[in-house]
Amino acid sequence: MFYMKEIFALYQLKNGTVISSSGDGKLRLWNIKSKKVEKEIMTENGGAWCIIEIDDGSVITGMGNGDILIWDLEEEKIIYKLQAHKKTINCLLYIDGGRFVSGSDESDMIMWNVNDISSKYILKGHRRMVTGLSKIDDIRFTSCSLDGTIKLWE
């Protein structure tokens, strides 16, 4: 298992497959047992900076241009393209019931609901880019930032 370009993101799917994103703009689905790429999917605007899987098996990628793409990996196509951030998406976190949070080079985060894409909440609290998100339970999560803070969200 190797690349010729830099790797931006790596995530293990529920079925055991590992998905990666690299500087050549491709998502690669790896079979861990055979150590071979099973599928390559070209992304938009370069590689994804972060990857998560949601309950229905769809995959969400955060892109360098601030877009969030929701993928059907079986069909190898984008289901939704969300444009809310203006800068690189650094982290994504799946909460539950279709809700996920995106953090970017901007100081704000956005909570989304994939069941109603028009529903989104802007979460303010950091002064610099959001660099990480971590789930505590089904209603709480934490975020960290280059401003030196960790925030608890309920």
Side-chain angles (χ1 to χ4, degrees):
M1 297 168 82
F2 66 92
Y3 269 97
M4 300 305 286
K5 289 281 189 177
E6 61 275 356
I7 299 172
F8 299 147
L10 189 66
Y11 188 89
Q12 185 171 4
L13 302 174
K14 292 173 195 155
N15 68 6
T17 300
V18 171
I19 184 170
S20 63
S21 172
S22 65
D24 62 5
K26 292 180 181 176
L27 296 176
R28 287 182 174 85
L29 280 75
W30 297 85
N31 180 310
I32 295 302
K33 290 180 183 172
S34 71
K35 300 180 183 173
K36 296 190 187 296
V37 174
E38 292 182 333
K39 190 179 288 191
E40 289 185 345
I41 303 169
M42 193 67 187
T43 64
E44 297 182 355
N45 302 314
W49 287 91
C50 48
I51 304 167
I52 60 171
E53 182 179 19
I54 59 176
D55 284 339
D56 67 1
S58 300
V59 167
I60 302 174
T61 57
M63 308 303 288
N65 66 351
D67 288 347
I68 295 171
L69 306 178
I70 302 177
W71 295 85
D72 178 330
L73 295 180
E74 290 296 318
E75 298 291 325
E76 299 183 27
K77 68 178 184 178
I78 297 167
I79 302 168
Y80 296 108
K81 180 177 184 177
L82 309 174
Q83 298 172 307
H85 295 281
K86 294 177 178 64
K87 296 182 179 179
T88 300
I89 307 292
N90 297 317
C91 46
L92 294 166
L93 176 67
Y94 181 70
I95 304 293
D96 73 342
R99 293 181 307 147
F100 72 96
V101 179
S102 57
S104 75
D105 279 358
E106 303 159 357
S107 59
D108 297 341
M109 294 168 295
I110 299 176
M111 181 173 283
W112 303 88
N113 187 331
V114 294
N115 301 319
D116 178 10
I117 294 300
S118 62
S119 264
K120 61 184 182 188
Y121 301 95
I122 297 175
L123 305 170
K124 296 181 178 284
H126 290 294
R127 295 183 314 275
R128 293 184 62 198
M129 74 171 58
V130 177
T131 56
L133 297 165
S134 181
K135 182 176 175 176
I136 294 175
D137 54 36
D138 286 344
I139 58 171
R140 297 180 302 163
F141 68 95
T142 56
S143 61
C144 63
S145 167
L146 287 185
D147 65 10
T149 63
I150 298 171
K151 303 274 184 184
L152 173 65
W153 301 88
E154 298 186 68

